[in-house]
Amino acid sequence: QVQLVESGGGLVQAGGSLRLSCAASGRTFSSYTMGWFRQAPGKEREFVAAITSSGSNTYYADSVKGRFTISRDNAKNTVYLQMNSLKPEDTAVYYCAADSSATQLRLGVMVDYWGQGTQVTISS
């Protein structure tokens, strides 16, 4: 069993930065691909970024490529999402996710674990 707790959300102006953190419980954190999803009001949840268990591979949605960076610290059981050059359209609830399959996680299908979400609001 893995529990995921996100933090770091908030309200920032367009062009600003935020860093989200996701702390995971459990001894098997380092075996999971970790990812971030977001859901804006009235929209479906969408994939944002993912990082494989060792951190050797990262994946990004086209909409955040070059602005967001995902990283992980397996010693701290934590995954991060550094978000720069934020835009109003980045406003959403951001969810942390964990899955044993990188492909499954990137598709957002039958993901093993989800966090409760953290609100990110970007003002124009």
Side-chain angles (χ1 to χ4, degrees):
Q1 188 75 10
V2 175
Q3 291 186 326
L4 306 174
V5 179
E6 302 97 333
S7 61
L11 171 64
V12 298
Q13 289 188 331
S17 298
L18 277 175
R19 188 175 83 153
L20 305 183
S21 299
C22 173
S25 65
R27 296 174 293 175
T28 58
F29 173 79
S30 60
S31 66
Y32 286 93
T33 290
M34 301 297 297
W36 291 94
F37 288 75
R38 67 187 182 186
Q39 187 167 20
K43 295 188 177 181
E44 293 187 354
R45 186 163 53 192
E46 64 174 359
F47 169 77
V48 174
I51 185 167
T52 51
S53 56
S54 65
S56 58
N57 291 300
T58 56
Y59 308 91
Y60 296 95
D62 288 343
S63 58
V64 306
K65 206 170 289 185
R67 300 189 298 122
F68 290 12
T69 302
I70 189 170
S71 61
R72 66 189 296 161
D73 185 338
N74 285 345
K76 294 183 178 180
N77 280 14
T78 302
V79 62
Y80 306 97
L81 185 67
Q82 178 66 44
M83 306 186 294
N84 299 328
S85 302
L86 284 161
K87 305 175 182 179
E89 51 263 44
D90 294 318
T91 294
V93 177
Y94 283 70
Y95 296 91
C96 179
D99 200 278
S100 55
S101 165
T103 300
Q104 197 158 282
L105 187 140
R106 290 169 64 193
L107 292 173
V109 175
M110 296 180 65
V111 172
D112 290 338
Y113 302 103
W114 292 98
Q116 83 289 349
T118 186
Q119 177 70 47
V120 171
T121 303
I122 312 303
S123 63
S124 57

